Amino acid sequence: MVKYAIAHASSAPSSAPSSDSSSSTSSPSKGYAATLKAAYASALFDVPLTAAPAPTATQSSGAAAAGSFLHGPALLVSSDGDGSGGRDVAFGGNGIAKFLSLVSPSPGATSGSGGSGSKGGSGRYGPRVDEWLEFERTVLRPSLSSSLSSSLSSTSEGKGGEGGSTKKIAAALTKLDDALSPTTGGGGKGGGTLHLVGNSDTAADVAIVVTLFLASQRIADLLNQYDSVKRYVAAHVTSPKFLAAVTTVDSGILLPTSSSSTTKGASTQLDYETESSQLKAVTTIFTNAIAQAFPEYANVDPVVQKCSSSKFGDYQCNAAMRLFGTMKKDGGKGGGKGGLPDGITSPQDVASSIVTAVENQTTNGHNPVIDSLGINGPGFITCKIQSSYLDHHLNLLLQKGIPKPSPPSSTHVQCLVDFSSPNIAKEMHVGHLRSTIIGESVCRILEFAGHDVARINHVGDWGTQFGMLIQYLREEYPQFAKGEEVNITDLTVFYKNAKKRFDDDEVFKDRSRLNVVALQAGDEECRTIWKILCDISRKEFDKVYERLDVTVTECGESFYNDKIAPVIEEFSTKGLLSVEEGGAKCVWIPDSKFSIPLMVQKSDGGYGYDSTDMAALKYRLFDVGAKRTIYITDYSQADHFKMCFAAAELIGWVEPGVHRLEHIGFGTVQGEDGKRFKTRSGETVRLVDLLDEAVRRQEEGLAERIEANTAGITRDMLHETACALGYGAVKYFDLRRNPTTNYIFSYDRMLDLKGNTAIYLLYAHARLESIMRKAKERHGVDVDDLVKPGSAARIVIGHPSERNLAVNLQMFADTIETTLEDLYPYHICDFLYGAATAASEFVTQCKVLGSPEME
């Protein structure tokens, strides 16, 4: 029986925020919110969850490998009773809610908000669900976080201090209200008054409801202005299943059970001068403080995360509320009232004791990492990083270069990434965009961490379709028989014409089928034509890869032909092969949710995708020696790869703790209509045309700026610059979002100079380059010389905007560690956008050229 378990790395969720959380300096714990989403989804979709055992020091896969860098929960799936040894299938609250809705055994959920639905798991998912999940992550959640900071400053700034954030929340609530309104929402786009999509609960409802519930006390007055949203939230949060979810999280049922113990009061040692992870340093400080203040609770996680606003701190520790609850629950361990430790009557008292313990961790009279501390609300502890710590690490960065990840993330292993994978005799289209871009990024991330990476392009270069292609070339290009060169200028047209002949001409169809047999038997002419088609296709693929700066090694389906039969024999020898009625040879996965088997050989003796992929998987594990294998395809192939991975484990190819098999399933690129992105005539968009259009639009804009003398480039640089901006914009627009979600392709948005776009990042970079160039030309200062190893120049943090930039830059190591866990490039995009924004703020507020500091 399949078991689903919630696993936390080092940061378990903190206690729920109290009704006066508006007085805290930070939003409720990200971990708490994500765990509540998981618990609510579990209740709504009737998928039981348990808590996975806490990871041991030797575990290196799934949530365990995230260490102190993964703050949300991970969902593990296994057949073990306690959820241990499971494979991670989803990360974060939204991801888990979406997964649970898809595997739900029940029909459309009705118990959460009183709706009526008729569809099962797949009926709860569609493009609109993804759009609302992305809206919650990128619009609603950030606007509520900024409102918290504004509300805190309202006492000194007045209403004007929260105007910007209030407008953002109002805009978000207006969008929700329209979708939920009986008149504008209805049963169409919005799907009624109590559901965002359709007439049953979805992952979108889970995400939106939990986020609004946690913020409801702070935005109560504003929420009262939106009747549909207010009714929607009230219906959900008063439902038995939501209340049960809150109780589950607050009681700690979904928290990890400790698999190891720590000596009471023992300190965790860390070299703060060399450790590049800022989060790990802060976490260690609070871990040791808790162990010192409350030795009986030395194992309690400090739950450290970045503050939502730099105005009130850099990091926050959310352990006090949970720790106080644990003390009350335990009882009898202390000499104070109710068995609590002496002097402890509230979470604020716990927080105060932790603060005192932090202040006692001093070197040369001060804490090596943390400067000022504060206690807010029910017990949130906020802190700022020591300027001397920032000075030291920024100067260390200049001396030694960009920090590499720490073990175990940096422990050298052989990795293999399967991505792009177009089909021979077909041009690459928009459907290949995400696999190609994400795959290249994943390879670069792993290589940066020091791993060897095999970049595999598993092209479709084998199959029955080649029979018709061979026959069509033979008939339409008779010069081939004379040894003359074949010039096929449009692969798409060539393939379509061949397919039409195959469908319309029975004689052509019969000859095509004979060609398949001949090709597989090694017929010289058929193989020559096959090679010609592969070479022509390869040249077209390379044009796209060159534009996108993608490096890949082709190893197509045909490579594994002679490796399939031995794999089938191995399954048979080990008693894992089932011969079905008709003669098909299959592998059934025991104790799984899969109702169909892997078909490793068809009833006619032929091989299909299952056969090739199992042969490829064994080759990659044993011949390539891959310890971490990643497949990057669209989400519809997720079950196929789960079955392949399960079969590999079943036959014993996968060694637990050594091999890691992963599938990154990405969403669909959509047009403005929310459907698959196509041309106006309904044709699939060729990838080269998509890239060309981005460059064309960028050239038009640059040409206008050149005429106005505001471009900073000459006309002879126009095309090269437009290519860099256009291609970069397309890539970044995809990478900056969670790959599991769908997104609407928009040239206008991706080429916008404002917001989280490649154009904005490149503009920010160009602005800094301009300052450096002017420093050299006008003041004789070469910044490159200043930052060379051995230079006497040192960075000294001064202005608040300078300090904010330093804090953002110092988050790089943590960002890489997080990304190495789930391999989602958007983490790095978020870091880049934050750093670019901080840099722009710095150069706006601080004069650089000609300033006294420059002298």
Side-chain angles (χ1 to χ4, degrees):
M1 180 179 178
V2 177
K3 300 286 186 181
Y4 297 100
I6 290 293
H8 297 273
S10 65
S11 295
S14 66
S15 302
S18 64
S19 60
D20 65 341
S21 61
S22 60
S23 63
S24 80
T25 63
S26 55
S27 60
S29 165
K30 173 183 174 183
Y32 181 89
T35 307
L36 181 55
K37 289 177 183 178
Y40 188 32
S42 169
L44 278 182
F45 307 131
D46 297 322
V47 182
L49 289 180
T50 59
T56 66
T58 58
Q59 289 176 308
S60 59
S61 63
S68 60
F69 309 102
L70 183 62
H71 297 288
L75 182 67
L76 306 184
V77 59
S78 73
S79 56
D80 299 332
D82 64 353
S84 62
R87 196 169 58 247
D88 48 293
V89 294
F91 291 95
N94 289 9
I96 293 173
K98 177 177 168 182
F99 183 89
L100 294 181
S101 72
L102 292 173
V103 300
S104 173
S106 63
T110 61
S111 56
S113 53
S116 60
S118 58
K119 296 181 180 180
S122 61
R124 298 195 189 89
Y125 174 69
R128 291 287 294 168
V129 174
D130 267 338
E131 288 176 21
W132 282 115
L133 288 173
E134 190 72 4
F135 167 82
E136 186 273 339
R137 187 181 78 85
T138 62
V139 178
L140 182 62
R141 206 187 309 168
S143 71
L144 292 171
S145 294
S146 61
S147 82
L148 177 55
S149 299
S150 297
S151 67
L152 294 171
S153 61
S154 61
T155 55
S156 59
E157 296 179 2
K159 291 184 179 180
E162 54 183 312
S165 58
T166 300
K167 289 179 181 178
K168 290 179 181 179
I169 299 175
L173 292 178
T174 298
K175 179 179 175 72
L176 282 170
D177 208 61
D178 289 343
L180 295 165
S181 169
T183 54
T184 60
K189 262 188 166 184
T193 59
L194 298 180
H195 302 96
L196 286 166
V197 182
N199 292 313
S200 61
D201 294 309
T202 66
D205 295 307
V206 172
I208 298 292
V209 166
V210 169
T211 297
L212 288 176
F213 166 71
L214 294 176
S216 58
Q217 293 291 332
R218 292 187 280 110
I219 61 168
D221 292 341
L222 192 59
L223 198 59
N224 285 333
Q225 301 174 32
Y226 298 88
D227 292 339
S228 295
V229 177
K230 183 180 177 182
R231 180 170 53 250
Y232 166 74
V233 173
H236 279 270
V237 302
T238 58
S239 68
K241 291 201 171 184
F242 186 86
L243 296 175
V246 173
T247 301
T248 296
V249 178
D250 286 348
S251 65
I253 292 176
L254 293 182
L255 296 183
T257 56
S258 178
S259 59
S260 63
S261 61
T262 301
T263 303
K264 295 177 181 179
S267 295
T268 300
Q269 300 301 314
L270 191 71
D271 188 341
Y272 299 115
E273 292 193 357
T274 60
E275 174 56 54
S276 59
S277 169
Q278 190 167 259
L279 179 59
K280 185 183 291 186
V282 176
T283 299
T284 301
I285 292 290
F286 279 108
T287 298
N288 291 339
I290 292 173
Q292 178 185 330
F294 306 103
E296 294 289 340
Y297 299 95
N299 289 328
V300 170
D301 195 302
V303 197
V304 175
Q305 66 184 65
K306 191 176 184 298
C307 286
S308 59
S309 172
S310 61
K311 292 181 181 179
F312 306 103
D314 299 321
Y315 289 90
Q316 66 188 55
C317 168
N318 301 330
M321 292 80 74
R322 176 172 304 284
L323 186 51
F324 180 74
T326 303
M327 290 174 179
K328 287 185 66 177
K329 182 179 178 182
D330 289 349
K333 286 189 177 182
K337 186 176 180 181
L340 293 169
D342 289 328
I344 301 298
T345 61
S346 68
Q348 289 92 335
D349 293 333
V350 174
S352 180
S353 296
I354 295 173
V355 167
T356 299
V358 170
E359 292 172 342
N360 288 336
Q361 298 179 54
T362 61
T363 302
N364 297 324
H366 67 274
N367 188 284
V369 179
I370 292 175
D371 187 2
S372 57
L373 294 126
I375 301 172
N376 301 275
F380 296 110
I381 305 171
T382 58
C383 68
K384 284 186 174 291
I385 303 298
Q386 283 277 6
S387 292
S388 58
Y389 176 89
L390 296 171
D391 289 349
H392 171 75
H393 281 277
L394 284 181
N395 284 292
L396 199 64
L397 185 148
L398 294 180
Q399 294 168 13
K400 296 187 176 182
I402 297 174
K404 298 293 184 179
S406 304
S409 298
S410 61
T411 303
H412 169 87
V413 297
Q414 175 67 57
C415 301
L416 185 146
V417 183
D418 179 326
F419 68 106
S420 193
S421 308
N423 291 313
I424 293 297
K426 289 184 178 181
E427 288 196 74
M428 294 179 72
H429 53 78
V430 66
H432 296 108
L433 176 67
R434 303 204 73 181
S435 179
T436 303
I437 291 173
I438 296 169
E440 173 67 22
S441 299
V442 167
C443 290
R444 294 187 186 191
I445 291 163
L446 292 169
E447 288 165 347
F448 174 79
H451 303 301
D452 285 339
V453 181
R455 299 156 161 262
I456 301 302
N457 194 4
H458 189 80
V459 298
D461 65 351
W462 203 252
T464 56
Q465 74 274 18
F466 280 94
M468 72 176 188
L469 296 172
I470 289 170
Q471 189 61 29
Y472 188 76
L473 185 143
R474 183 184 283 145
E475 294 183 8
E476 295 297 319
Y477 296 85
Q479 67 268 32
F480 160 75
K482 302 176 184 178
E484 298 178 13
E485 184 178 351
V486 175
N487 183 23
I488 300 175
T489 56
D490 193 321
L491 282 171
T492 301
V493 172
F494 178 87
Y495 190 94
K496 285 183 177 179
N497 290 341
K499 183 67 168 64
K500 189 174 189 306
R501 284 287 303 278
F502 185 85
D503 293 338
D504 297 344
D505 188 333
E506 287 299 321
V507 175
F508 181 90
K509 183 180 294 186
D510 290 339
R511 289 174 178 171
S512 298
R513 288 169 174 165
L514 291 174
N515 288 335
V516 175
V517 177
L519 176 63
Q520 293 177 345
D523 178 81
E524 184 176 350
E525 184 187 44
C526 286
R527 289 191 70 86
T528 300
I529 296 176
W530 172 73
K531 289 179 180 178
I532 288 173
L533 292 171
C534 289
D535 289 341
I536 293 172
S537 301
R538 197 172 291 119
K539 290 177 182 177
E540 294 303 313
F541 299 159
D542 287 343
K543 292 177 183 177
V544 174
Y545 295 143
E546 184 178 358
R547 294 189 194 193
L548 293 175
D549 193 18
V550 169
T551 302
V552 69
T553 300
E554 183 180 309
C555 190
E557 295 172 346
S558 63
F559 177 80
Y560 304 101
N561 284 342
D562 62 349
K563 299 170 178 57
I564 296 175
V567 166
I568 296 174
E569 180 61 28
E570 184 177 351
F571 273 99
S572 178
T573 301
K574 294 188 176 182
L576 301 174
L577 199 65
S578 171
V579 180
E580 302 298 311
E581 184 178 350
K585 296 179 180 179
C586 299
V587 176
W588 290 88
I589 309 301
D591 300 323
S592 76
K593 68 182 183 67
F594 302 114
S595 59
I596 59 173
L598 279 172
M599 186 182 294
V600 293
Q601 189 167 17
K602 300 177 182 178
S603 56
D604 62 2
Y607 303 135
Y609 288 119
D610 293 354
S611 318
T612 304
D613 284 340
M614 288 309 298
L617 185 51
K618 181 175 183 182
Y619 177 83
R620 292 166 178 182
L621 290 171
F622 291 93
D623 292 80
V624 178
K627 297 299 185 289
R628 187 174 189 180
T629 305
I630 304 103
Y631 293 79
I632 302 174
T633 72
D634 71 277
Y635 68 90
S636 66
Q637 297 187 49
D639 280 350
H640 166 72
F641 284 110
K642 287 175 186 175
M643 291 176 69
C644 288
F645 298 165
E649 293 174 0
L650 183 67
I651 200 170
W653 294 348
V654 179
E655 184 178 349
V658 175
H659 296 107
R660 187 170 177 181
L661 305 177
E662 301 166 78
H663 174 244
I664 297 177
F666 53 79
T668 305
V669 180
Q670 302 172 328
E672 295 289 350
D673 58 358
K675 299 178 181 178
R676 287 185 181 273
F677 189 41
K678 293 183 180 294
T679 64
R680 290 182 178 178
S681 61
E683 298 290 323
T684 301
V685 179
R686 297 195 316 162
L687 196 44
V688 289
D689 293 338
L690 181 149
L691 296 172
D692 286 345
E693 177 63 13
V695 172
R696 185 192 67 77
R697 293 189 180 212
Q698 199 60 43
E699 281 184 334
E700 287 183 355
L702 286 172
E704 293 176 0
R705 294 176 61 189
I706 289 174
E707 290 297 323
N709 199 30
T710 59
I713 61 170
T714 57
R715 187 163 288 278
D716 62 323
M717 300 166 63
L718 175 61
H719 182 69
E720 181 182 358
T721 305
C723 285
L725 293 170
Y727 299 155
V730 171
K731 292 161 71 173
Y732 188 83
F733 194 69
D734 188 299
L735 295 174
R736 75 173 180 83
R737 63 194 76 243
N738 189 315
T740 63
T741 60
N742 302 333
Y743 74 89
I744 294 175
F745 190 92
S746 169
Y747 286 111
D748 290 338
R749 277 181 279 173
M750 71 176 58
L751 297 173
D752 197 340
L753 188 58
K754 299 177 181 179
N756 191 5
T757 66
I759 307 301
Y760 172 78
L761 295 183
L762 291 169
Y763 171 76
H765 179 266
R767 188 178 182 188
L768 297 176
E769 287 284 348
S770 175
I771 292 173
M772 292 170 62
R773 186 177 62 254
K774 291 176 181 177
K776 188 172 184 178
E777 293 173 353
R778 301 177 184 178
H779 302 275
V781 176
D782 190 332
V783 176
D784 289 330
D785 288 340
L786 292 177
V787 299
K788 282 181 179 178
S791 170
R794 287 188 57 80
I795 293 176
V796 179
I797 305 298
H799 193 276
S801 64
E802 187 178 24
R803 187 187 178 285
N804 182 47
L805 175 58
V807 171
N808 275 274
L809 292 176
Q810 192 57 27
M811 291 172 60
F812 176 77
D814 298 325
T815 300
I816 294 299
E817 291 283 359
T818 301
T819 309
L820 283 170
E821 173 53 31
D822 59 21
L823 297 178
Y824 289 174
Y826 80 86
H827 300 301
I828 297 176
C829 295
D830 288 346
F831 165 80
L832 288 172
Y833 182 57
T837 303
S840 296
E841 178 185 342
F842 165 62
V843 297
T844 299
Q845 296 189 15
C846 297
K847 182 180 179 181
V848 178
L849 299 177
S851 66
E853 291 84 357
M854 181 177 179
E855 301 301 326

